[in-house]
Amino acid sequence: MSVRRLAEASVQPASFAFNRANAAAAKQWIKKYPKGREQSAIIPLLMIAQEQEGWVTKAAIETISDMLGMPRIRGLEVATFYTQYQLNPVGTRAHIQVCGTTPCMLRGSEALMDVCRSKIHHDQFHTNDKGTLSWEEVECLGACVNAPMVMVFKDTFEDLTPERLAEIIDLYDAGKGASVAPGPQNGRTGSEPASGLTTLKSEKAILKSTRDKEAKAATKAAQNAAPTATAAPAAQAPAAAAVAPSNASKPKTDAPETSPALKTPSATKVAPAAEKAASVSAPLHSAANANTAAPEVEKVAKQRNGPTAKAEPAAAFKAPETKAPAAKQAKPSLDDKNRPAGIDRPAAVDDLKLISGVGPKIEGILHTLGIFTFAQVAAWKKAEREWVDGYLSFQGRIERDDWVKQAKALAKGGVAEYIRVFGKKPV
């Protein structure tokens, strides 16, 4: 899509306001949208402004954006995106849009554009000397079967020839555009074949009223013909005896539901209380029982659907991940003798997060235990490391990440010593 910009400031009006009729129409459009969605009315409101002014001005975009309570840049985005909005002044009497898409091009739209170049202006979006006419090439306008065609404001003129378009342009230039009938210009109706109808030339055959009349006429003719029908000759041979239907395909059953000897429903009604007392309540549903075969019927005890669990020896090897998880160990007591000694919060606190494996949350827990410096962590003994590991539920993470070695390097020379020892920056 080509870049679309607003017209030069020299041609932009200073302000914009809807006239009384269009202001009422704008309010009606805004009411069609639910509360909080009124900004969606910007598309019809911009169209109303274009119909009033002939084109969409910057003042109109800003006024409508303010009316809908939306940022002006949003209004500019909508106006510059849709090609239906004319952002520059157009002809006051006609702005001719010539369809240049494939069907119209094959039917001569280039010749129509040549007419516009000769009668209006060589370039698109420029008015003629009097400012009454302008033109542009557009994409498909939806009348391909009537190609080539043009659109003037909201009216389409189809089945055009260069000569006919020149006549239409002259009429609009003279202020007589209303006298031109829109639609096909070659005499055909709508989108009928150019050679005239070849099928369905009359609707009579497919109308319901026609079918009803024909049905009534046929019925009346049959009734009139019945009394005049002659009786069959007496000497006519007797008809063959009717053959009784065969019972070969009927199933043989003695079930009460299909027995012809029983007449149902019974005329004798049973009291609801007696019926309830004699009834047996339905068993509770069991998915396991429903999925089990009945041994007395299928002569086998098995599961109907789903995989069958196979019994395995008690000593069979099981992968560690399939074993039942061990019971979660309780946190060690804060009064345990192996708890590392804590200190009061010093003025300068080390950034314990430089130790790999220590995040903001773990650092906060260590602070509650009185651990604030790298030197404290570097001095932990094995029993103290195990106590902290258990308290944090780390399951050996302190040993794996080697907190003590990291803390010693950071306590000795900070980040530079850490890089020297481990060959990388602290995480």
Side-chain angles (χ1 to χ4, degrees), residues 162-371:
E163 295 76 17
R164 179 54 183 162
L165 178 59
E167 294 174 0
I168 293 174
I169 292 176
D170 291 339
L171 289 171
Y172 270 100
D173 193 22
K176 300 179 181 179
S179 63
V180 185
Q185 301 297 306
N186 62 349
R188 68 166 162 174
T189 302
S191 300
E192 292 179 355
S195 58
L197 292 175
T198 57
T199 58
L200 299 178
K201 296 184 178 181
S202 173
E203 296 182 353
K204 181 178 179 181
I206 61 174
L207 293 177
K208 184 177 183 300
S209 58
T210 302
R211 298 196 303 270
D212 292 342
K213 289 180 181 179
E214 292 177 352
K216 289 180 181 179
T219 302
K220 187 175 182 181
Q223 291 174 350
N224 294 337
T228 61
T230 56
Q236 191 174 5
V243 179
S246 172
N247 293 327
S249 62
K250 292 185 178 181
K252 296 180 180 180
T253 175
D254 296 330
E257 292 81 3
T258 58
S259 175
L262 299 178
K263 294 182 179 181
T264 57
S266 174
T268 305
K269 302 298 182 182
V270 180
E275 183 177 0
K276 184 176 181 180
S279 299
V280 178
S281 59
L284 296 175
H285 174 71
S286 172
N289 292 339
N291 196 31
T292 304
E296 63 276 10
V297 176
E298 303 183 32
K299 307 302 182 183
V300 63
K302 66 176 184 178
Q303 184 175 298
R304 295 182 184 276
N305 299 314
T308 304
K310 295 182 179 180
E312 56 184 31
F317 172 79
K318 292 185 179 180
E321 59 269 19
T322 62
K323 294 182 179 179
K328 189 175 181 180
Q329 296 181 354
K331 284 188 177 184
S333 172
L334 292 174
D335 298 328
D336 194 291
K337 64 178 181 178
N338 293 323
R339 174 185 172 181
I343 62 175
D344 294 334
R345 185 181 184 92
V349 177
D350 291 336
D351 186 3
L352 299 180
K353 297 190 295 296
L354 293 177
I355 299 176
S356 177
V358 177
K361 183 177 179 180
I362 300 301
E363 184 183 43
I365 297 175
L366 292 176
H367 286 174
T368 62
L369 297 175
I371 310 299

Side-chain angles (χ1 to χ4, degrees), residues 86 89-92 94-97 116 120-121 124-128 131-136:
Q86 301 297 332
V90 297
T92 56
H95 177 68
I96 300 174
Q97 295 178 306
C116 294
I120 302 174
H121 195 281
Q124 303 179 46
F125 302 105
H126 288 74
T127 60
N128 58 357
T132 56
L133 301 174
S134 59
W135 75 281
E136 67 170 310

Side-chain angles (χ1 to χ4, degrees), residues 409-410 413-421:
L410 291 168
V415 175
E417 180 66 14
Y418 188 99
I419 296 174
R420 190 191 70 77
V421 174

Side-chain angles (χ1 to χ4, degrees), residues 112-165:
L112 301 184
M113 295 181 202
D114 290 339
V115 173
C116 294
R117 293 186 183 100
S118 63
K119 282 191 164 290
I120 302 174
H121 195 281
H122 181 270
D123 298 321
Q124 303 179 46
F125 302 105
H126 288 74
T127 60
N128 58 357
D129 295 337
K130 296 183 289 185
T132 56
L133 301 174
S134 59
W135 75 281
E136 67 170 310
E137 179 185 358
V138 296
E139 296 300 319
C140 183
L141 292 174
C144 305
V145 73
N146 297 85
M149 55 89 67
V150 302
M151 177 180 284
V152 180
F153 301 123
K154 292 185 177 181
D155 292 328
T156 59
F157 301 91
E158 307 146 13
D159 295 311
L160 288 170
T161 61
E163 295 76 17
R164 179 54 183 162
L165 178 59

Side-chain angles (χ1 to χ4, degrees), residues 377-386 399 404:
V377 179
W380 285 350
K381 304 300 182 184
K382 180 175 175 52
E384 294 172 325
R385 296 196 297 271
E386 291 177 351
E399 296 293 340
V404 171

